[in-house]
């Protein structure tokens, strides 16, 4: 049977294409790594300008010595109530300090960067925001970048920025509540706990779960054999509305 095509004919069916691979192998122990955490979930300091919830490609600089009580969320694309209970559910800054004290990871950079990925401008995130965040993290000597996304569009924006970090030589993983989006958008590595959007890093005020998700995501950065690898994590939390 011969397959016949017509020149110039295109399908009316949208077929998403996964971007080209970008993958940086981690070549040092986690205990020697400087680990950064970024998020598309709209986290910012209470004294900073809130994000524009109708669409925003800007980012906020967050010092890693900021108390978690000084952080808040501005995002209209998902239920913020879990973050309002405990910002570590999306941006686990307290758990990261504990992992440094434990010796599980080596250190944290002086600062990191957060953004609001909902309604994201793909070109701006790809050509401006992502590369700028990646350069700033690289300049601080970061080895590993973990990332969370909130809504579906946030997962796309988070993946775009994560890919920019990977291209700068940092080994990255998206902790995804919506793993199919992160995978189709070409995340270098993905971990997927069974959690609702807005609690990617674990149930609010559940230190044990949050720590386990962080540790297994870091281990996946170390152990993932190839681009776009997905690991489903055995942690489940259901948000009771």
């Amino acid at each position: 049977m011969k397959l016949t095509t017509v020149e110039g004919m295109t399908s009316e069916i949208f077929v998403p294409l996964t971007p080209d691979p970008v993958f940086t192998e981690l070549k040092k122990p986690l205990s020697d790594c400087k680990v950064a955490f970024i998020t598309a979930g709209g986290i910012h300091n209470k004294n900073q300008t809130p994000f524009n919830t109708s669409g925003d490609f800007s980012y906020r600089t967050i010092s890693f010595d900021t108390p978690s009580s000084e952080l808040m969320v501005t995002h209209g694309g998902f239920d913020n109530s879990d973050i309002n209970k405990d910002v570590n559910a999306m941006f686990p800054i307290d758990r990261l300090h504990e992992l440094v004290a434990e010796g599980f990871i080596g250190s944290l950079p002086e600062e990191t960067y957060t953004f609001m990925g909902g309604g994201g401008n793909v070109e701006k995130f790809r050509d401006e925001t992502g590369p700028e965040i990646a350069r700033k993290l690289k300049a601080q000597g970061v080895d590993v970048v973990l990332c969370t996304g909130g809504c579906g569009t946030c997962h796309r924006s988070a993946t775009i920025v994560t890919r920019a970090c990977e291209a700068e030589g940092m080994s990255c993983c998206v902790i995804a509540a919506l793993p199919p989006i992160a995978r189709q958008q070409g995340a270098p590595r993905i971990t997927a706990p069974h959690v609702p959007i807005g609690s990617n890093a674990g149930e609010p005020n559940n230190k044990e779960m949050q720590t386990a998700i962080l540790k297994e995501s870091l281990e996946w950065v170390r152990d993932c054999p190839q681009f776009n690898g997905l690991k489903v994590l055995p942690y489940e939390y259901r948000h009771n509305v």
Side-chain angles (χ1 to χ4, degrees):
M1 180 178 178
K2 182 178 179 181
L3 179 64
T4 303
T5 60
V6 177
E7 185 176 352
M9 185 175 182
T10 59
S11 173
E12 294 181 356
I13 301 173
F14 174 70
V15 181
L17 300 176
T18 299
D20 292 335
V22 55
F23 191 80
T24 299
E25 182 182 356
L26 185 63
K27 296 184 178 180
K28 59 196 298 187
L30 290 169
S31 58
D32 293 338
C33 288
K34 181 176 284 188
V35 176
F37 200 103
I38 61 177
T39 180
I43 308 296
H44 60 89
N45 199 299
K46 291 178 180 178
N47 64 13
Q48 291 175 321
T49 302
F51 292 102
N52 182 346
T53 56
S54 65
D56 197 331
F57 60 86
S58 65
Y59 64 89
R60 305 290 180 267
T61 299
I62 304 292
S63 171
F64 259 115
D65 63 6
T66 304
S68 57
S69 60
E70 292 303 309
L71 299 174
M72 62 175 288
V73 57
T74 301
H75 199 306
F78 63 89
D79 184 348
N80 298 168
S81 60
D82 280 346
I83 299 175
N84 290 332
K85 295 173 188 173
D86 177 19
V87 74
N88 290 285
M90 190 61 133
F91 183 66
I93 188 169
D94 294 330
R95 306 291 84 80
L96 289 164
H97 283 291
E98 291 161 6
L99 292 186
V100 173
E102 181 185 328
F104 191 86
I105 57 177
S107 62
L108 304 174
E110 289 187 6
E111 63 183 35
T112 191
Y113 313 98
T114 61
F115 45 103
M116 199 287 294
N121 184 317
V122 171
E123 288 73 23
K124 290 288 188 180
F125 275 108
R126 185 188 62 218
D127 301 333
E128 298 180 24
T129 307
E132 188 169 335
I133 288 174
R135 286 193 297 269
K136 288 187 172 184
L137 291 175
K138 186 67 174 179
Q140 294 181 81
V142 168
D143 302 296
V144 174
V145 180
L146 300 181
C147 183
T148 52
C151 65
T153 309
C154 283
H155 277 69
R156 180 184 66 186
S157 303
T159 300
I160 291 170
V161 177
T162 302
R163 285 175 57 85
C165 294
E166 192 89 17
E168 283 286 343
M170 294 168 278
S171 302
C172 307
C173 180
V174 175
I175 304 174
L178 300 171
I181 297 176
R183 196 165 201 187
Q184 190 279 314
Q185 292 294 317
R189 303 166 190 79
I190 307 113
T191 53
H194 301 278
V195 293
I197 56 175
S199 306
N200 301 38
E203 181 181 9
N205 300 310
N206 187 332
K207 293 175 62 174
E208 182 179 353
M209 180 187 291
Q210 293 170 2
T211 300
I213 289 172
L214 270 181
K215 284 186 171 181
E216 291 210 30
S217 296
L218 287 161
E219 290 168 345
W220 188 234
V221 170
R222 179 194 65 197
D223 299 337
C224 180
Q226 61 188 13
F227 167 73
N228 213 215
L230 169 66
K231 182 177 183 180
V232 177
L233 302 184
Y235 307 104
E236 183 171 352
Y237 157 59
R238 296 180 183 274
H239 182 109
N240 295 318
V241 179

